[in-house]
Amino acid sequence: MSGASNHPEALLELAAQGKLTREHSIALQRHARECEACSAHLHALRDFRDELATGDFDSLLDARAIEGALAATRSRPAQKTPRSRWLAGAAATLAALLLTGAVLARWGASLGTSVKRPVATAQASAPPLSKPAPSALTAHPETQAAEPPARTLRSSAGARPAPSRKEVEPAPPAPRSAAELFGRANELRRAGKDSDAVQTYLELQSSFPASREALLSHAIAGHLLLEQGRPESALAQFDSYLKRGAAVTEDALAGRAAALQRLGRGDEERTTWETLLRRFPRSVHATRARARVAQLQQLR
Amino acid sequence: MSYARAYEAPEGVPSEEPNPDDMGAALVRMAVAGEPEAVRKLLARLAPEFRRVCRAVFGSNSSDVEDSLQEGLVAFVRALPNFRFESPIRHYALRIALRSALKARRRSREHYQHLDPLATLAEATGRQPLPSEEAAAAGRRAALRALLDRLPEEQAEALTLYVVLGCSLDETATLVGVSPNTVKTRIRLGKNSLRRTISRNPALRSLLGEPP
C-alpha cells in the first residue's frame, strides 16, 4: 500500500449505512488497497458492529451503573452553570480575601491562630448568588434519609478545625446507607470476590429491604449465585426481584429460566421463557428462549 | 397458575421494550429540572448509548467498562442542569459519554499504552482458541484503540464517533460541537496519521490484510 491523503468519505459513509452500489464498492476497495487508514475504517465498521451490540444481561449492567451514578450524585450536588460557578467562585474569592485581611489585622494579637478556620468558614457560608441548580441529590427519599450526615459536602469542607487527640472520642459505628452497601457489594463483585459480594447484597436486602438498591441486588445476586452453582438460592433471588422489579425484568426472567433449567424443572422453565418472549419479543435472550421452548416441548 | 404467569402483563398490553427514540420532551424537561424519577427514567433510556460508547473506547471485555459507564452517567446527571435544549438530549448525552470515556482511558494511558496491539491479539486468543476471523477482528479492534490513544484528543474523538461508532460526518460534527469542515479536517489528519503508523508496521498491515 502506498497510501493516499484524500479519503473517499462520501463512499465510506454509504458503506456505514449499507448503501454502497456495486460500482461504489469496487471504487472503495480499490482505494482501501492503497490506503491503510481507509482499510482500517472499513474493517472497523464491521469489527465493532457485533462488539457494540447489546448482549446478554446488559440491562443488568446498565441498572447497576444507574444506581451507582444516582448514589454518587446524591452525595454531591449537580454541577452549576458556568456563569453561576464563576459568580460563586468570585464571591468565595472575595470573601476569602476580606477574611484574610481580617485575619492579618488580628495576626499581631494572636499569632497562633490557624488561618484554616476563617477561610474554610467563609467557603462554607458563602451565600449562593444564584439559585442552586436542582439536582438528583434527593433522587431517592429512602437513601437520602439513610445517608450519613458525615458524608455531606458541608461537613467535609473543614468548617470546624480538627479536635485535638484528647478531644477525640470513640466514633460510633458509621451508619450505613443502602447506596453505600450497594457500592461496596459492587466493588467486591468487580474484584472477583463473588461470595463476599453475595453476602453484602444479602446484608443490603435485610438492612434496607425497601430500597431500590436492595431490589436490584436480588437480580444481581441471583446471577452470581447461578454462576456459583447454587440454582435454588438463585431462583429465590430472581423470584424476589420479579415480585417488585421493573428495570431488569427481562434479565431476571432469563436468570430464573436458567436456574429452573439447572434444577430440572422443565415445565416452569418453559413457562418462564414463554413469558419472556411474550413481554420482550426482541429480547437479547429471545434466540435462546425459543430454542429452549422448542427443546422442552419435544421432551413433553 | 405458574409463578411466571403471576407477574406477566395482561393480554393486549404492548411489549415493555422501550423505544430508544422516544425521549419525550416532557421527560427531558422534568429531568433537567431535577425531578428524581425523570432523571432515573432518562438514564434508563440513555444507558445503552453510554454502554456502547464505553465498549467502543475500552473494549467489551474490559473491566473498565462498568466504571466508565457509571462515571459517564454521573457526568451526565451533573451536566443536566446546563442542558439548553439546543440539541437533542441524545446528542448531549453522547458527547458527555464520549468525553468522559476518552478522558478515563487517557487517564489510564500508562496501562493502555503498554498494550501492544499484537500482544493484545495474543491475549485475546490465548485462553481459548477463537475462530481465526474473530481473533483477527479482536486484534484489529485492539490495534485501532491503541492507535487512537496516540492521536491528539480532538482527532481521537472525531475518529471514535465516525469510524468506531459509525456516525455520519454531520452527526460527528454535531456531537463534537464544531462545523462539518472542521470535523472533516480532524478526520483527515487523524486518518493520515493512522495510515503513516500502519504503513510503518508490517504486523499491523498483515492484521488488516485485504479490505473487507
Side-chain angles (χ1 to χ4, degrees), chain A residues 4 7 9 13 29 41 43 47 51 58 62 64 67 79 134 189 212 239 243 278-279 282, chain B residues 3 7-8 16-17 33 37 40 51 55 66 140-141 145 162 168-169 191-192 195 208 212:
Chain A
H7 311 287
E9 303 303 347
E13 279 197 271
Q29 290 268 336
H41 187 162
H43 276 296
D47 292 344
E51 186 178 61
D58 273 350
D62 295 347
R64 282 197 304 264
E67 285 307 328
Q79 192 176 329
R189 184 183 44 74
R212 284 184 190 274
D239 283 348
K243 277 179 194 161
R278 203 162 22 248
R279 291 179 65 177
R282 287 176 296 166
Chain B
Y3 188 85
Y7 48 71
E8 78 180 35
E16 295 175 24
E17 289 168 351
E37 269 313 303
R40 183 182 291 278
R51 178 183 3 103
R55 285 203 170 133
E66 187 166 345
R140 283 192 295 266
R141 286 194 296 263
R145 286 188 186 102
Y162 181 56
S168 69
L169 283 170
K191 276 193 162 184
N192 288 346
R195 182 172 52 73
L208 283 176

Side-chain angles (χ1 to χ4, degrees), chain A:
Chain A
M1 296 188 195
S2 60
S5 57
N6 289 317
H7 311 287
E9 303 303 347
L11 292 183
L12 286 160
E13 279 197 271
L14 287 174
Q17 296 159 12
K19 292 179 180 171
L20 276 182
T21 64
R22 187 171 164 72
E23 283 175 6
H24 286 153
S25 182
I26 292 168
L28 192 53
Q29 290 268 336
R30 195 180 301 130
H31 171 85
R33 281 196 193 94
E34 297 298 315
C35 174
E36 291 87 351
C38 287
S39 178
H41 187 162
L42 278 173
H43 276 296
L45 290 177
R46 203 167 60 176
D47 292 344
F48 281 91
R49 197 176 302 146
D50 287 343
E51 186 178 61
L52 302 184
T54 296
D56 290 359
F57 307 113
D58 273 350
S59 62
L60 206 53
L61 169 69
D62 295 347
R64 282 197 304 264
I66 289 169
E67 285 307 328
L70 290 173
T73 49
R74 271 177 223 131
S75 64
R76 268 188 61 195
Q79 192 176 329
K80 292 177 183 176
T81 62
R83 185 169 175 271
S84 62
R85 262 209 316 268
W86 182 86
L87 288 171
T93 307
L94 185 62
L97 281 172
L98 288 171
L99 280 157
T100 306
V103 168
L104 287 173
R106 284 196 285 165
W107 199 10
S110 169
L111 275 175
T113 304
S114 165
V115 295
K116 283 182 183 171
R117 180 174 174 171
V119 172
T121 308
Q123 285 167 343
S125 61
L129 293 182
S130 63
K131 190 182 172 189
S135 72
L137 191 66
T138 55
H140 195 244
E142 291 155 14
T143 315
Q144 188 198 20
E147 195 74 33
R151 288 172 63 84
T152 61
L153 264 184
R154 186 175 289 274
S155 63
S156 63
R160 277 191 286 173
S164 68
R165 278 180 186 277
K166 281 181 184 175
E167 291 169 331
V168 173
E169 289 173 10
R176 287 174 173 178
S177 67
E180 190 184 334
L181 274 174
F182 186 69
R184 190 176 302 169
N186 287 342
E187 276 172 25
L188 288 165
R189 184 183 44 74
R190 286 203 288 266
K193 297 176 180 172
D194 288 358
S195 296
D196 293 340
V198 168
Q199 279 310 311
T200 313
Y201 286 128
L202 296 180
E203 190 185 338
L204 166 65
Q205 290 163 15
S206 60
S207 305
F208 301 95
S211 67
R212 284 184 190 274
E213 290 89 345
L215 174 59
L216 180 58
S217 78
H218 285 292
I220 304 170
H223 283 287
L224 288 177
L225 288 162
L226 204 53
E227 283 171 14
Q228 289 176 350
R230 297 164 64 189
E232 194 91 48
S233 306
L235 181 62
Q237 288 290 320
F238 290 127
D239 283 348
S240 294
Y241 179 82
L242 288 165
K243 277 179 194 161
R244 293 190 292 139
V248 296
T249 297
E250 182 184 341
D251 283 347
L253 281 168
R256 181 175 199 270
L260 288 165
Q261 181 182 356
R262 299 218 190 145
L263 291 167
R265 289 158 62 175
D267 282 348
E268 290 168 85
E269 183 200 343
R270 183 176 48 78
T271 314
T272 306
W273 284 126
E274 285 169 348
T275 304
L276 185 145
L277 286 169
R278 203 162 22 248
R279 291 179 65 177
F280 305 96
R282 287 176 296 166
S283 166
V284 289
H285 307 288
T287 307
R288 185 179 166 206
R290 287 193 191 95
R292 281 299 295 163
V293 168
Q295 276 178 354
L296 290 163
Q297 274 170 345
Q298 279 180 348
L299 289 174
R300 289 182 87 188

Side-chain angles (χ1 to χ4, degrees), chain B residues 7 12 19 43 52 65 78-79 83 93-94 98 112 115 119 123 145 149 169 177 182 201 203 210 212:
Chain B
Y7 48 71
N19 178 357
L43 290 189
R52 264 186 96 233
V65 168
R78 295 214 167 113
F83 181 60
L94 264 176
L98 180 63
Y112 286 103
L115 293 178
E123 189 190 320
R145 286 188 186 102
D149 282 343
L169 283 170
T182 305
N201 186 327
E210 281 292 299

